[in-house]
Amino acid sequence: ENNIIHTVFHQTITTTGRLSSTEPNLQNIPIRDDEGKLLRRAFVPKNDGGSIMSADYSQIELRLVTHFSGDENLTQAYKNNIDIHTKTASDIFATPIDKVDSNLRRMAKAVNFGIIYGISEHGLAENLNISRREAREFIDRYFATYPQVSLYMNQNVKFARENGYSISILGRRRRIDEINSSNFMLRNFGERAAMNMPLQATASDIIKMAMINVDRELIKRNLESKIVLQVHDELLIEAKEDEIET
């Protein structure tokens, strides 16, 4: 009767601990196509003059891989506020930073995020529409540039192989039985899951802590604004007009 859509959040569906949303799935409203943009206009704040405000973590999984691996090149890039995709493009395509164009950056972004998900040369070749040989070269150059990331990923696989699970920074465990399978495809899946799980699960730990802390802060400051949605690394807040700045 009040024209308000409520989603159902599930805490126990995903293997990484991320919240998932159903009836309807509000974490999956498309943004790139015209239809998605039109659909998004249907979502408006309850308060006249208020806004729906988005606050998200920037590149949280790349920051986490930097933190866990301790890779010096990545750490310096973040400390000096250098765009990480531009830096990776500069390194793997041997191009000065100021000569990196949007296409090279796009390709480097695919490599950066692909590495986190344990992408194969076949997967990267398909994503970028390049040959498998080129994809292999990109991956090799990436690990030559960020050697500690390679060590970290291998350690994750070794840990899961020995213990049968992966673990997040706050202790969330995921069993990965596939990692010791005699079936190549299953074993490969297990290795990719072991590489990525500590990163994704830690990201989900962090956003959950943020939800609790932001909610407490809103109450403590007697604000009427409230969190209405969580989309992975992002919180959406229904903000009253006079509280937006706060």
Side-chain angles (χ1 to χ4, degrees):
E1 77 250 17
N2 55 12
N3 297 329
I4 295 172
I5 295 173
H6 293 272
T7 187
V8 178
F9 277 118
H10 303 275
Q11 293 215 53
T12 52
I13 303 283
T14 67
T15 50
T16 53
R18 283 186 153 178
L19 295 181
S20 62
S21 155
T22 57
E23 302 176 62
N25 178 354
L26 291 181
Q27 293 179 322
N28 205 13
I29 310 290
I31 191 168
R32 289 199 174 88
D33 56 16
D34 292 338
E35 208 172 17
K37 287 180 179 134
L38 201 60
L39 197 56
R40 281 168 179 253
R41 284 168 57 188
F43 297 89
V44 293
K46 274 203 310 250
N47 306 310
D48 289 339
S51 291
I52 294 176
M53 193 170 122
S54 155
D56 72 335
Y57 282 109
S58 152
Q59 302 174 346
I60 189 152
E61 287 175 3
L62 289 175
R63 290 174 193 272
L64 285 171
V65 85
T66 305
H67 170 75
F68 284 132
S69 70
D71 188 88
E72 284 157 25
N73 283 332
L74 280 174
T75 304
Q76 283 312 311
Y78 273 119
K79 279 187 171 170
N80 297 327
N81 235 351
I82 296 167
D83 176 74
I84 215 79
H85 302 314
T86 304
K87 176 174 169 35
T88 299
S90 169
D91 291 329
I92 64 176
F93 304 124
T95 307
I97 274 199
D98 56 359
K99 295 279 188 291
V100 170
D101 61 19
S102 59
N103 188 46
L104 286 182
R105 186 183 182 276
R106 178 187 62 82
M107 289 169 80
K109 188 175 178 178
V111 177
N112 272 336
F113 285 113
I115 296 290
I116 283 175
Y117 288 97
I119 203 165
S120 64
E121 61 196 64
H122 174 70
L124 187 63
E126 285 209 326
N127 282 0
L128 291 177
N129 206 7
I130 55 176
S131 71
R132 287 176 71 158
R133 191 177 62 78
E134 280 179 298
R136 177 77 261 154
E137 277 177 17
F138 288 171
I139 292 169
D140 288 346
R141 276 190 231 150
Y142 178 95
F143 284 131
T145 308
Y146 306 124
Q148 283 150 292
V149 174
S150 180
L151 282 173
Y152 168 70
M153 292 299 196
N154 291 335
Q155 278 165 359
N156 283 352
V157 172
K158 185 168 179 278
F159 180 90
R161 195 168 279 137
E162 289 168 0
N163 297 282
Y165 64 85
S166 284
I167 195 161
S168 79
I169 204 167
L170 292 185
R172 173 182 295 280
R173 288 187 183 193
R174 172 185 175 179
R175 281 183 65 93
I176 306 182
D177 297 327
E178 298 90 342
I179 200 156
N180 291 315
S181 169
S182 57
N183 177 307
F184 171 78
M185 296 292 282
L186 275 178
R187 193 168 66 248
N188 201 267
F189 168 81
E191 287 172 0
R192 289 203 311 277
M195 287 177 188
N196 175 254
M197 190 276 174
L199 302 169
Q200 265 209 63
T202 299
S204 85
D205 290 344
I206 288 170
I207 195 74
K208 283 177 181 170
M209 289 194 299
M211 288 168 75
I212 292 165
N213 292 337
V214 169
D215 187 59
R216 282 181 183 156
E217 196 66 25
L218 292 171
I219 293 165
K220 193 171 107 187
R221 298 192 187 198
N222 287 323
L223 300 174
E224 287 178 53
S225 300
K226 61 174 193 267
I227 303 171
V228 288
L229 199 61
Q230 184 258 52
V231 186
H232 306 318
D233 307 329
E234 172 183 21
L235 295 183
L236 289 162
I237 296 166
E238 196 169 63
K240 286 195 69 185
E241 190 175 17
D242 55 354
E243 293 177 358
I244 288 170
E245 198 50 50
T246 308

